[in-house]
Amino acid sequence: MGQQQAPTPEQMKAMADKQVQPMLAQLKSNPNNAALLAQVGNAYYDAQVFPVAIEYYQKALAVDPKNTSVRTDMGTAMFYTSNFDGAIAEFDHALKDNPKDGNALFNRGIAKWQGKMDVKGAVADWELLLKENPNYEQADKVKMFIAQAKKHANMKPGEKTDKPAM
C-alpha cells in the first residue's frame, strides 16, 4: 500500500505531449523561436522521449547554432539513444564554440567511458574539466568517475571484475 509505480514510457510521452501543447501553439506563429524549440526539446528529454527531444534540439540549433547548452543536451539525448559517435560529435562542436564548457566536458567523458570504452579519453576530459572549472558543481562526482575509470583502465573487454563501474 502506498507504493506508486513509475509511469510507463507511453505515459511519460503523453505527459510531455500535454505539457508542450501551449509551446507548440506559440511556435505556429513564431516557428524560429530557438528558446521555445529548446523548451519543447527539454520537455521531451525530461520525459525520456529522446528521439523527439533530439528533433526539437536540431530545430533550435538550426536557428541558434552556437547555443552550447542546447547542443550539449542534444548530445546527451543522443547518448541515451546509444548514438555514441553522434553524442561525442555534438560535445566536440559545443567545445569548439566554448572550450571550457564544463557540462560538455563532463558528458563527453561519460560518452567516451561508457559508450566507447575510451577510459583514457574520458579521464583526460574530466581532468581538463577540473582544471578549467575548479568550482564545477559536480567536482566530487567527476573525481569519483576518474577514480572508477582508472580502476578499469587495464581491463580487457568482457573481463569480469568485482569493482563496480558506477
Side-chain angles (χ1 to χ4, degrees):
M1 177 106 180
Q3 216 170 8
Q4 292 185 336
Q5 282 190 323
T8 66
E10 293 78 18
Q11 290 169 322
M12 295 284 286
K13 183 178 183 313
M15 287 187 277
D17 287 342
K18 185 173 184 177
Q19 180 186 351
V20 301
Q21 281 178 347
M23 293 179 250
L24 294 176
Q26 289 178 352
L27 282 169
K28 284 184 179 160
S29 62
N30 189 1
N32 292 325
N33 183 327
L36 202 51
L37 289 163
Q39 276 185 293
V40 174
N42 289 340
Y44 283 108
Y45 181 98
D46 292 344
Q48 299 179 9
V49 186
F50 300 115
V52 178
I54 291 167
E55 178 185 324
Y56 280 94
Y57 291 147
Q58 287 172 330
K59 290 177 182 181
L61 289 167
V63 178
D64 183 11
K66 292 205 181 279
N67 188 322
T68 56
S69 294
V70 172
R71 193 163 298 283
T72 299
D73 288 345
M74 185 166 79
T76 305
M78 289 175 153
F79 171 82
Y80 286 125
T81 64
S82 299
N83 180 355
F84 307 123
D85 292 330
I88 291 169
E90 291 306 321
F91 300 137
D92 287 346
H93 193 143
L95 289 163
K96 195 172 8 169
D97 291 333
N98 181 2
K100 295 182 180 185
D101 187 298
N103 290 328
L105 284 166
F106 177 83
N107 286 302
R108 187 171 71 177
I110 295 288
K112 285 180 178 179
W113 183 31
Q114 295 179 354
K116 302 298 283 181
M117 307 306 156
D118 176 6
V119 173
K120 287 181 179 141
V123 169
D125 279 348
W126 293 329
E127 288 175 342
L128 179 62
L129 162 60
L130 294 175
K131 178 182 170 215
E132 297 291 345
N133 301 276
N135 298 320
Y136 187 68
E137 64 184 40
Q138 296 187 63
D140 289 342
K141 188 176 192 178
V142 173
K143 291 173 187 170
M144 182 186 74
F145 281 172
I146 289 171
Q148 289 175 341
K150 283 182 176 179
K151 286 180 189 175
H152 295 100
N154 297 320
M155 288 185 62
K156 310 273 183 289
E159 186 177 330
K160 301 281 185 228
T161 179
D162 57 356
K163 299 174 191 167
M166 291 291 279

